[in-house]
Amino acid sequence: MGRWICCLCSRIADPLMLLLILALSCNPSTAATTSPSVPHIKPSYSFGRTFLGLDKCNACIGTSICKKFFKEEIRFDTWLSSHLKLPPSYLLSYSGNYTDDAKSWRMVDITRLTSKYQHDRADKRICTSLLKTKTCSLERALRRTQRFQKWLRAKRLTPDLVQGLSSPLLRCPSQRLLDRIVRRYAEVPDAGSIYMDHLTDRDKLRLLYTLSVNSHPILLQIFPDVEGWPFPRYLGSCGRLVVSASTRPLRDFYGAAPEVAADLALQLLAVLRSMGTNDLNYFFYFTHVDAGTFGVFSNGHLFIRDASTLGVIDKEEGSQLIDGQQEHRDIFSCLTVDCQSAFVSCDSIREKHSLVMVCQELLPKLLKGKFLQPVQEKIDSFLQHCASGLANDQGVNEAIDKLAEILKPLRSCDSRFAYRYPDCKYSDKY
């Protein structure tokens, strides 16, 4: 073939470029050899066990989603750059991307239950208070505690096993709530049982550690979004990192258009009401709210982004832990808070509790200066009445009802609100 090309081309008066091509074509060794393909070197995403917190397991949250990290099916946003560097370990949360098929990606939030500084301080406290050393095996130290030994012997999670833990979720526990935690704990294979027979010693330590540090991932597991609860979806944990569906914090919407602000305010009020009255007879209340407590999905739907300050009271069974029992303290009570901090009495929590805080901290920033007079003046007046906290529960509820009446006609019906569009076109509900 090479000779035929050479003969054919030799009959043509060729310019310099053609002579160069012929020289290459007429060389049999060159024609028969193809240039070797350069092997594709896959970038290496190197995780340190310290970054994930796996070096601290089983004093950690879990390992259910570790494979996703190591298979590069969860990527931090910084990994989209050419340097492929892990983000700083001192951050509390990270934006990430998650895939099931390596083709379609969706945004996720990757968070720590506390800052790395607080984690390190708690780890040091465990070693110094239990073993009198600066460093130690956290698991070995925690296993020796009286509380964990009781957990090992227990067949069922009962109120006495969680007494003195700082999480608001466990301030006023009922047996029904604790059974729900065991039955829906997502870091173990689902057994659907209220008994802890399917939990290994390792599983029990991880559950106890999570409840002691921050109950946020537990709330996401036991009240899942697929059942209509206003929480982002829990995807799993690896070491001391939690992965959940991504939301933008409410603070990002303080400068939003009036119709967007009105829509979010109405959703916020609806969420608080649903947490006070629901089919399961659980009453949810906040011990603290800020601009990061609530978040908004890309479809405009508002959810509770951070459930760490959320308490639960069982309206059906009531609390099975009297206030005096809450004073029992140990190392698990002090992992993230000052051991001297006082517990809130279960009897002192009112239904207006969360509404007043939201009227004080969030709604004024979201709705301030958004509307023309006299509408803005009425909104400010009802917010002030709600935030004062001087009225009884009925007075606060009346102020909220009036506020909702004003806001409803101020929101719009268009594709920006995908969570209710185009339904809002054909329903009086909106």
Side-chain angles (χ1 to χ4, degrees), residues 5 16 21 61 125 147 165 172 178 202 205 216 225 244 270 281 289 339 346 348 354 360 377 384 386 389 394 403 424:
I5 295 175
L16 181 62
I21 298 174
I61 310 165
R125 186 185 293 128
R147 186 190 293 267
L165 298 185
C172 314
L178 297 178
R202 175 200 64 193
L205 180 57
H216 169 77
D225 67 310
S244 59
N281 272 331
V289 295
C339 286
C346 299
S348 67
S354 298
Q360 291 173 342
E377 184 178 356
Q384 186 176 6
C386 168
Q394 184 177 356
L403 180 61
C424 52

mmCIF file of all heavy atoms in Angstrom, residues 5 16 21 61 125 147 165 172 178 202 205 216 225 244 270 281 289 339 346 348 354 360 377 384 386 389 394 403 424:
data_model
loop_
_atom_site.group_PDB
_atom_site.id
_atom_site.type_symbol
_atom_site.label_atom_id
_atom_site.label_comp_id
_atom_site.label_asym_id
_atom_site.label_seq_id
_atom_site.Cartn_x
_atom_site.Cartn_y
_atom_site.Cartn_z
ATOM 1 N N ILE A 5 1.142 4.277 -2.954
ATOM 2 C CA ILE A 5 0.996 5.709 -2.685
ATOM 3 C C ILE A 5 2.209 6.471 -3.180
ATOM 4 O O ILE A 5 2.108 7.539 -3.769
ATOM 5 C CB ILE A 5 0.793 5.950 -1.177
ATOM 6 C CG1 ILE A 5 -0.527 5.331 -0.734
ATOM 7 C CG2 ILE A 5 0.842 7.433 -0.844
ATOM 8 C CD1 ILE A 5 -0.766 5.409 0.752
ATOM 9 N N LEU A 16 6.751 21.566 -1.219
ATOM 10 C CA LEU A 16 7.567 21.095 -0.101
ATOM 11 C C LEU A 16 6.760 20.307 0.918
ATOM 12 O O LEU A 16 7.191 19.276 1.414
ATOM 13 C CB LEU A 16 8.224 22.313 0.560
ATOM 14 C CG LEU A 16 9.138 21.997 1.755
ATOM 15 C CD1 LEU A 16 10.304 21.124 1.315
ATOM 16 C CD2 LEU A 16 9.649 23.291 2.367
ATOM 17 N N ILE A 21 5.040 14.849 3.429
ATOM 18 C CA ILE A 21 4.029 13.801 3.661
ATOM 19 C C ILE A 21 4.436 12.506 2.987
ATOM 20 O O ILE A 21 4.302 11.419 3.536
ATOM 21 C CB ILE A 21 2.643 14.273 3.160
ATOM 22 C CG1 ILE A 21 2.209 15.507 3.947
ATOM 23 C CG2 ILE A 21 1.621 13.163 3.243
ATOM 24 C CD1 ILE A 21 0.931 16.141 3.443
ATOM 25 N N ILE A 61 -19.749 9.106 64.125
ATOM 26 C CA ILE A 61 -21.177 9.057 63.775
ATOM 27 C C ILE A 61 -21.531 7.761 63.063
ATOM 28 O O ILE A 61 -22.542 7.135 63.337
ATOM 29 C CB ILE A 61 -21.554 10.253 62.893
ATOM 30 C CG1 ILE A 61 -21.062 11.540 63.535
ATOM 31 C CG2 ILE A 61 -23.057 10.326 62.662
ATOM 32 C CD1 ILE A 61 -21.057 12.718 62.604
ATOM 33 N N ARG A 125 -10.767 16.179 76.486
ATOM 34 C CA ARG A 125 -11.474 16.087 77.769
ATOM 35 C C ARG A 125 -11.734 14.633 78.146
ATOM 36 O O ARG A 125 -11.649 14.251 79.317
ATOM 37 C CB ARG A 125 -12.779 16.864 77.684
ATOM 38 C CG ARG A 125 -13.529 16.945 79.013
ATOM 39 C CD ARG A 125 -14.874 17.630 78.868
ATOM 40 N NE ARG A 125 -14.704 19.033 78.531
ATOM 41 C CZ ARG A 125 -15.297 19.628 77.504
ATOM 42 N NH1 ARG A 125 -16.085 18.927 76.712
ATOM 43 N NH2 ARG A 125 -15.113 20.897 77.271
ATOM 44 N N ARG A 147 -22.028 4.618 82.039
ATOM 45 C CA ARG A 147 -23.185 4.763 81.141
ATOM 46 C C ARG A 147 -23.111 3.756 80.002
ATOM 47 O O ARG A 147 -24.104 3.082 79.688
ATOM 48 C CB ARG A 147 -23.253 6.181 80.575
ATOM 49 C CG ARG A 147 -24.530 6.404 79.748
ATOM 50 C CD ARG A 147 -24.490 7.718 78.985
ATOM 51 N NE ARG A 147 -24.525 8.875 79.846
ATOM 52 C CZ ARG A 147 -25.633 9.521 80.209
ATOM 53 N NH1 ARG A 147 -26.815 9.084 79.798
ATOM 54 N NH2 ARG A 147 -25.570 10.588 80.966
ATOM 55 N N LEU A 165 -27.954 13.828 79.093
ATOM 56 C CA LEU A 165 -27.365 14.213 77.810
ATOM 57 C C LEU A 165 -27.876 15.598 77.429
ATOM 58 O O LEU A 165 -29.023 15.948 77.693
ATOM 59 C CB LEU A 165 -27.708 13.199 76.723
ATOM 60 C CG LEU A 165 -27.184 11.773 76.936
ATOM 61 C CD1 LEU A 165 -27.499 10.906 75.727
ATOM 62 C CD2 LEU A 165 -25.683 11.773 77.201
ATOM 63 N N CYS A 172 -36.732 15.756 77.350
ATOM 64 C CA CYS A 172 -38.023 15.281 77.866
ATOM 65 C C CYS A 172 -38.411 13.995 77.129
ATOM 66 O O CYS A 172 -39.421 13.954 76.414
ATOM 67 C CB CYS A 172 -39.103 16.343 77.678
ATOM 68 S SG CYS A 172 -38.608 18.017 78.166
ATOM 69 N N LEU A 178 -37.894 7.089 72.123
ATOM 70 C CA LEU A 178 -36.654 6.318 72.156
ATOM 71 C C LEU A 178 -36.772 5.050 71.314
ATOM 72 O O LEU A 178 -35.806 4.642 70.654
ATOM 73 C CB LEU A 178 -36.293 5.980 73.601
ATOM 74 C CG LEU A 178 -35.999 7.185 74.508
ATOM 75 C CD1 LEU A 178 -35.691 6.715 75.927
ATOM 76 C CD2 LEU A 178 -34.849 8.019 73.966
ATOM 77 N N ARG A 202 -20.225 -1.803 68.864
ATOM 78 C CA ARG A 202 -19.754 -0.660 68.083
ATOM 79 C C ARG A 202 -20.915 0.257 67.716
ATOM 80 O O ARG A 202 -20.822 1.478 67.818
ATOM 81 C CB ARG A 202 -19.079 -1.177 66.806
ATOM 82 C CG ARG A 202 -18.636 -0.099 65.829
ATOM 83 C CD ARG A 202 -18.445 -0.699 64.446
ATOM 84 N NE ARG A 202 -19.705 -1.202 63.917
ATOM 85 C CZ ARG A 202 -19.803 -1.988 62.853
ATOM 86 N NH1 ARG A 202 -18.715 -2.417 62.251
ATOM 87 N NH2 ARG A 202 -20.985 -2.375 62.411
ATOM 88 N N LEU A 205 -22.106 2.326 70.691
ATOM 89 C CA LEU A 205 -21.217 3.434 71.027
ATOM 90 C C LEU A 205 -21.409 4.579 70.041
ATOM 91 O O LEU A 205 -21.425 5.749 70.431
ATOM 92 C CB LEU A 205 -19.762 2.973 71.032
ATOM 93 C CG LEU A 205 -18.730 4.053 71.378
ATOM 94 C CD1 LEU A 205 -19.029 4.683 72.735
ATOM 95 C CD2 LEU A 205 -17.309 3.478 71.353
ATOM 96 N N HIS A 216 -28.758 16.153 65.430
ATOM 97 C CA HIS A 216 -29.235 16.534 64.097
ATOM 98 C C HIS A 216 -29.396 15.331 63.155
ATOM 99 O O HIS A 216 -30.479 15.143 62.577
ATOM 100 C CB HIS A 216 -28.296 17.581 63.486
ATOM 101 C CG HIS A 216 -28.520 17.852 62.036
ATOM 102 N ND1 HIS A 216 -29.571 18.638 61.575
ATOM 103 C CD2 HIS A 216 -27.862 17.439 60.930
ATOM 104 C CE1 HIS A 216 -29.528 18.690 60.248
ATOM 105 N NE2 HIS A 216 -28.496 17.980 59.838
ATOM 106 N N ASP A 225 -37.807 12.930 55.336
ATOM 107 C CA ASP A 225 -38.519 13.826 54.423
ATOM 108 C C ASP A 225 -39.546 13.082 53.581
ATOM 109 O O ASP A 225 -40.562 13.659 53.196
ATOM 110 C CB ASP A 225 -37.516 14.538 53.509
ATOM 111 C CG ASP A 225 -36.825 13.577 52.556
ATOM 112 O OD1 ASP A 225 -36.314 12.541 53.015
ATOM 113 O OD2 ASP A 225 -36.804 13.862 51.348
ATOM 114 N N SER A 244 -26.075 15.159 53.639
ATOM 115 C CA SER A 244 -27.531 15.312 53.481
ATOM 116 C C SER A 244 -27.820 16.144 52.240
ATOM 117 O O SER A 244 -26.909 16.746 51.651
ATOM 118 C CB SER A 244 -28.141 15.977 54.721
ATOM 119 O OG SER A 244 -27.562 17.247 54.945
ATOM 120 N N ALA A 270 -45.844 27.954 58.409
ATOM 121 C CA ALA A 270 -46.497 26.662 58.222
ATOM 122 C C ALA A 270 -45.668 25.529 58.831
ATOM 123 O O ALA A 270 -46.218 24.591 59.433
ATOM 124 C CB ALA A 270 -46.731 26.404 56.736
ATOM 125 N N ASN A 281 -48.520 13.255 67.147
ATOM 126 C CA ASN A 281 -48.631 13.874 68.476
ATOM 127 C C ASN A 281 -47.275 14.167 69.123
ATOM 128 O O ASN A 281 -47.119 14.019 70.346
ATOM 129 C CB ASN A 281 -49.471 13.003 69.418
ATOM 130 C CG ASN A 281 -50.948 13.327 69.305
ATOM 131 O OD1 ASN A 281 -51.331 14.454 68.994
ATOM 132 N ND2 ASN A 281 -51.783 12.330 69.517
ATOM 133 N N VAL A 289 -32.719 29.752 67.387
ATOM 134 C CA VAL A 289 -32.823 29.839 65.926
ATOM 135 C C VAL A 289 -31.892 30.932 65.433
ATOM 136 O O VAL A 289 -31.651 31.923 66.123
ATOM 137 C CB VAL A 289 -34.269 30.136 65.451
ATOM 138 C CG1 VAL A 289 -35.210 29.002 65.786
ATOM 139 C CG2 VAL A 289 -34.776 31.456 66.012
ATOM 140 N N CYS A 339 -20.603 21.720 81.304
ATOM 141 C CA CYS A 339 -21.328 20.818 82.207
ATOM 142 C C CYS A 339 -22.173 21.563 83.222
ATOM 143 O O CYS A 339 -23.073 20.982 83.836
ATOM 144 C CB CYS A 339 -20.342 19.907 82.938
ATOM 145 S SG CYS A 339 -19.661 18.613 81.892
ATOM 146 N N CYS A 346 -39.110 20.770 81.331
ATOM 147 C CA CYS A 346 -40.089 20.357 80.322
ATOM 148 C C CYS A 346 -41.408 21.114 80.480
ATOM 149 O O CYS A 346 -42.072 21.433 79.501
ATOM 150 C CB CYS A 346 -40.334 18.855 80.420
ATOM 151 S SG CYS A 346 -38.867 17.841 80.138
ATOM 152 N N SER A 348 -41.848 24.100 81.407
ATOM 153 C CA SER A 348 -41.757 25.530 81.100
ATOM 154 C C SER A 348 -41.876 25.840 79.603
ATOM 155 O O SER A 348 -41.938 27.003 79.216
ATOM 156 C CB SER A 348 -40.424 26.080 81.619
ATOM 157 O OG SER A 348 -39.334 25.518 80.891
ATOM 158 N N SER A 354 -41.377 28.686 69.959
ATOM 159 C CA SER A 354 -40.639 28.810 68.695
ATOM 160 C C SER A 354 -41.130 29.987 67.867
ATOM 161 O O SER A 354 -40.341 30.671 67.205
ATOM 162 C CB SER A 354 -40.757 27.515 67.886
ATOM 163 O OG SER A 354 -40.184 26.428 68.589
ATOM 164 N N GLN A 360 -38.783 37.246 66.548
ATOM 165 C CA GLN A 360 -37.719 38.118 67.043
ATOM 166 C C GLN A 360 -36.491 38.101 66.139
ATOM 167 O O GLN A 360 -35.908 39.157 65.849
ATOM 168 C CB GLN A 360 -37.304 37.689 68.457
ATOM 169 C CG GLN A 360 -38.347 37.934 69.527
ATOM 170 C CD GLN A 360 -37.949 37.335 70.862
ATOM 171 O OE1 GLN A 360 -37.076 36.457 70.939
ATOM 172 N NE2 GLN A 360 -38.577 37.796 71.933
ATOM 173 N N GLU A 377 -46.334 48.605 57.365
ATOM 174 C CA GLU A 377 -46.597 49.017 58.742
ATOM 175 C C GLU A 377 -47.394 47.957 59.488
ATOM 176 O O GLU A 377 -47.122 47.655 60.662
ATOM 177 C CB GLU A 377 -47.350 50.350 58.743
ATOM 178 C CG GLU A 377 -47.584 50.916 60.133
ATOM 179 C CD GLU A 377 -48.290 52.258 60.092
ATOM 180 O OE1 GLU A 377 -48.523 52.783 58.980
ATOM 181 O OE2 GLU A 377 -48.633 52.773 61.174
ATOM 182 N N GLN A 384 -44.075 42.682 65.782
ATOM 183 C CA GLN A 384 -43.717 43.215 67.092
ATOM 184 C C GLN A 384 -44.593 42.612 68.184
ATOM 185 O O GLN A 384 -44.121 42.290 69.273
ATOM 186 C CB GLN A 384 -43.840 44.739 67.088
ATOM 187 C CG GLN A 384 -43.342 45.398 68.358
ATOM 188 C CD GLN A 384 -43.385 46.906 68.274
ATOM 189 O OE1 GLN A 384 -43.887 47.473 67.308
ATOM 190 N NE2 GLN A 384 -42.869 47.579 69.298
ATOM 191 N N CYS A 386 -46.037 39.684 68.087
ATOM 192 C CA CYS A 386 -45.634 38.283 68.250
ATOM 193 C C CYS A 386 -44.314 38.190 69.010
ATOM 194 O O CYS A 386 -44.148 37.354 69.900
ATOM 195 C CB CYS A 386 -45.501 37.619 66.879
ATOM 196 S SG CYS A 386 -44.703 36.001 66.889
ATOM 197 N N GLY A 389 -43.703 38.519 73.154
ATOM 198 C CA GLY A 389 -43.805 37.366 74.048
ATOM 199 C C GLY A 389 -44.634 37.630 75.285
ATOM 200 O O GLY A 389 -44.704 36.789 76.180
ATOM 201 N N GLN A 394 -52.663 32.216 72.778
ATOM 202 C CA GLN A 394 -53.728 32.620 71.858
ATOM 203 C C GLN A 394 -53.410 33.961 71.207
ATOM 204 O O GLN A 394 -53.636 34.153 70.017
ATOM 205 C CB GLN A 394 -55.063 32.695 72.600
ATOM 206 C CG GLN A 394 -56.244 33.015 71.679
ATOM 207 C CD GLN A 394 -57.580 33.013 72.429
ATOM 208 O OE1 GLN A 394 -57.622 32.703 73.617
ATOM 209 N NE2 GLN A 394 -58.651 33.356 71.736
ATOM 210 N N LEU A 403 -50.855 38.055 60.277
ATOM 211 C CA LEU A 403 -49.684 38.213 59.418
ATOM 212 C C LEU A 403 -49.804 37.340 58.174
ATOM 213 O O LEU A 403 -49.505 37.789 57.055
ATOM 214 C CB LEU A 403 -48.421 37.835 60.201
ATOM 215 C CG LEU A 403 -47.092 37.933 59.456
ATOM 216 C CD1 LEU A 403 -46.825 39.367 59.001
ATOM 217 C CD2 LEU A 403 -45.946 37.428 60.328
ATOM 218 N N CYS A 424 -50.364 25.978 41.875
ATOM 219 C CA CYS A 424 -50.946 27.201 42.419
ATOM 220 C C CYS A 424 -51.893 27.885 41.434
ATOM 221 O O CYS A 424 -52.735 28.694 41.833
ATOM 222 C CB CYS A 424 -49.844 28.169 42.840
ATOM 223 S SG CYS A 424 -48.601 28.526 41.576
#
